[in-house]
Every structure is written in C-alpha cells, then in structure tokens.
Amino acid sequence: MSDDKQQILAVYQQINDAMVSKDTKTLDNIFNDNHKFVHMNGYQQSKQEWLEQIENEVMRYFKTMPQKTTVTIDGNTAILNCNTKIDARIYGIRNTWGMKVKMYFEKRGEEWYPVNASESTSN
C-alpha cells in the first residue's frame, strides 16, 4: 500500500476515533472552517454546528465499524469510500446505522486533508 493511501486511512481513523471520544479539538483541526457535512438525510451542516452537537451530545458516537474501505488517488486529490456501521445516538435515537461514507481529500505539501464528505445509508 502506498504511503499516500496509508496517510489518508490514518486521517480517516483519526476522525473516527475523535468522533467516538468527543475530541472536538482534533476534529476542528482536521476539517477546515468552511467544511460542510452532507448527512444521510441530505442536510448540509457546518463544521461549527456539527462540533457543537458532538459537544452537547445531540450527536453521540459510540463506535464506528468500517467494513470495506477503498482509496482512489488522482494526483493531489483522492476519494475515500467506506462502507461502515456507526453506533450512535442522533437527535435522541440510538441505532447502529449502515452507512456509505464518501470523503474527498486534497494533498497540500506532504499532508492529506479532507475537503468534503457525504454519507448515505447502505443496505
């Protein structure tokens, strides 16, 4: 596996770990201030709103369970696709959701940064 793919997977794992541990400082450092999250219901959420909802446990992540992850790199851009299961309580409803995560990355210097992300339900 290439170093670039390993770096992207490491960033994705760091995001998952920070979500579960409510480490909003790490999440704040990973995502730029203009980052928009597109949730499975189509709602576009600002980074600040998402971080506040994690801190207030409106969104509480208990466990992430990636099932299959692929990374496709094209020059200084990459796409991570991950079929995952997420055990979370979202707006008062706890469930383990099957999700398809699509995260776009951009390489700046030697580092990879997520620049966009969306998720949808998986069957």
Side-chain angles (χ1 to χ4, degrees):
M1 179 182 308
S2 75
D3 287 345
D4 286 330
K5 284 186 180 182
Q6 287 179 333
Q7 282 184 22
I8 291 166
L9 291 170
V11 170
Y12 184 62
Q13 184 63 50
Q14 187 179 20
I15 291 166
N16 284 331
D17 291 346
M19 287 168 47
V20 170
S21 65
K22 290 178 44 178
D23 183 354
T24 55
K25 288 182 182 181
T26 294
L27 294 169
D28 189 32
N29 288 331
I30 291 173
F31 294 103
N32 69 44
D33 289 339
N34 298 324
H35 193 94
K36 296 282 186 203
F37 298 88
V38 181
H39 293 283
M40 60 190 217
N41 63 1
Y43 178 63
Q44 292 188 24
Q45 186 174 44
S46 71
K47 177 180 96 167
Q48 189 58 39
E49 180 185 10
W50 183 60
L51 295 177
E52 287 172 5
Q53 289 187 347
I54 291 172
E55 287 176 359
N56 298 332
E57 294 195 3
V58 171
M59 292 189 177
R60 176 68 174 101
Y61 300 96
F62 298 100
K63 187 174 184 181
T64 61
M65 300 159 275
Q67 308 294 299
K68 180 182 177 188
T69 307
T70 60
V71 176
T72 305
I73 298 173
D74 184 11
N76 286 334
T77 62
I79 300 172
L80 176 143
N81 285 293
C82 183
N83 291 339
T84 188
K85 292 182 180 182
I86 299 175
D87 176 7
R89 185 179 62 243
I90 307 297
Y91 303 118
I93 300 170
R94 184 163 181 183
N95 196 10
T96 299
W97 283 278
M99 309 287 297
K100 290 183 180 182
V101 175
K102 188 173 205 174
M103 191 170 288
Y104 297 85
F105 284 81
E106 182 179 279
K107 189 172 188 179
R108 299 178 198 142
E110 296 300 313
E111 303 295 322
W112 287 93
Y113 297 91
V115 293
N116 198 351
S118 63
E119 55 191 41
S120 60
T121 57
S122 65
N123 296 330

